[in-house]
Amino acid sequence: VQLANMANLLKAMGEYKRSIQAYKEAIADLSLVQNSRNISNLATTLGQLGTTYESAGQYDKALEAYQIQIDTMAGKSYFHPLAKALPIIRTGRLLGKTGKIAQAERLLRQGLSVARENRHVMFSVFASSELATVLSLQRRFQEAMEIRRLGLQIIQNQDFDRTHITNSHRVAIGKIP
């Protein structure tokens, strides 16, 4: 865990190469003992490695890290569905960036569905915003607008978990405060 914390600091400083190395070392350490706590920390660290690769522009490696994260959590009931949805949404977003639009749309719809089922604003807005972008890339502007409206409705819905909502989420779905 200390290595992962160090990697987080290095990433925040823009030291991606050193951060990636620290994440890899943390992953190797966490892989030694297979218990639920280590597996949970391993999944988190894989996600952090993926976002670091993504920030460094190494998209293939980011996709690989996200897929390993998804595989690590698969079939384990102690992971909350939202924890499992985040790497799916991240993968969908990245596939959209790399032109794999059909795959991106499928994963983003899957992630949005899980986020909505769990009534989570942040993940719902994240997934809906990325899905709208993918739909726009396909020139499906009407559907993109409907998804953006859905994101706005989610933000306004009092029944959703609002603990992580910020103005940046409102801007992301097209409502500038």
Side-chain angles (χ1 to χ4, degrees):
V1 176
Q2 290 302 321
L3 280 169
N5 289 337
M6 184 178 74
N8 290 338
L9 289 173
L10 290 166
K11 179 182 174 186
M13 295 173 8
E15 297 279 340
Y16 299 130
K17 186 175 181 178
R18 290 177 57 203
S19 176
I20 288 167
Q21 185 57 41
Y23 281 131
K24 287 180 175 181
E25 290 175 28
I27 289 166
D29 286 351
L30 290 166
S31 298
L32 294 175
V33 178
Q34 295 290 310
N35 61 40
S36 61
R37 181 176 177 183
N38 276 8
I39 292 172
S40 179
N41 288 334
L42 175 62
T44 299
T45 304
L46 284 162
Q48 292 166 332
L49 176 62
T51 61
T52 305
Y53 276 133
E54 193 171 345
S55 295
Q58 297 180 40
Y59 296 153
D60 288 341
K61 289 182 178 181
L63 287 169
E64 182 181 341
Y66 295 148
Q67 187 58 56
I68 295 169
Q69 182 185 22
I70 291 167
D71 294 345
T72 298
M73 291 190 285
K76 297 182 179 68
S77 61
Y78 51 85
F79 283 105
H80 191 279
L82 286 170
K84 292 179 179 181
L86 183 57
I88 291 169
I89 296 168
R90 285 177 173 160
T91 300
R93 176 193 65 215
L94 191 49
L95 288 170
K97 279 185 179 180
T98 60
K100 296 174 181 150
I101 303 301
Q103 290 173 284
E105 181 180 349
R106 182 182 57 78
L107 290 175
L108 290 167
R109 286 189 186 281
Q110 179 184 351
L112 177 58
S113 176
V114 172
R116 288 183 68 199
E117 287 170 11
N118 287 275
R119 311 195 70 66
H120 196 277
V121 170
M122 186 178 76
F123 286 4
S124 296
V125 171
F126 177 35
S128 64
S129 177
E130 295 298 331
L131 178 56
T133 299
V134 165
L135 293 170
S136 294
L137 289 171
Q138 297 175 71
R139 306 191 63 74
R140 293 163 55 191
F141 300 118
Q142 187 62 39
E143 286 178 80
M145 187 57 71
E146 290 170 16
I147 293 295
R148 292 214 183 269
R149 281 192 199 105
L150 172 66
L152 180 57
Q153 290 170 355
I154 289 168
I155 285 176
Q156 294 170 338
N157 188 329
Q158 297 299 316
D159 294 335
F160 274 67
D161 177 358
R162 306 176 66 72
T163 54
H164 295 94
I165 191 68
T166 66
N167 284 338
S168 63
H169 296 115
R170 290 183 184 92
V171 171
I173 57 98
K175 180 183 180 190
I176 301 172

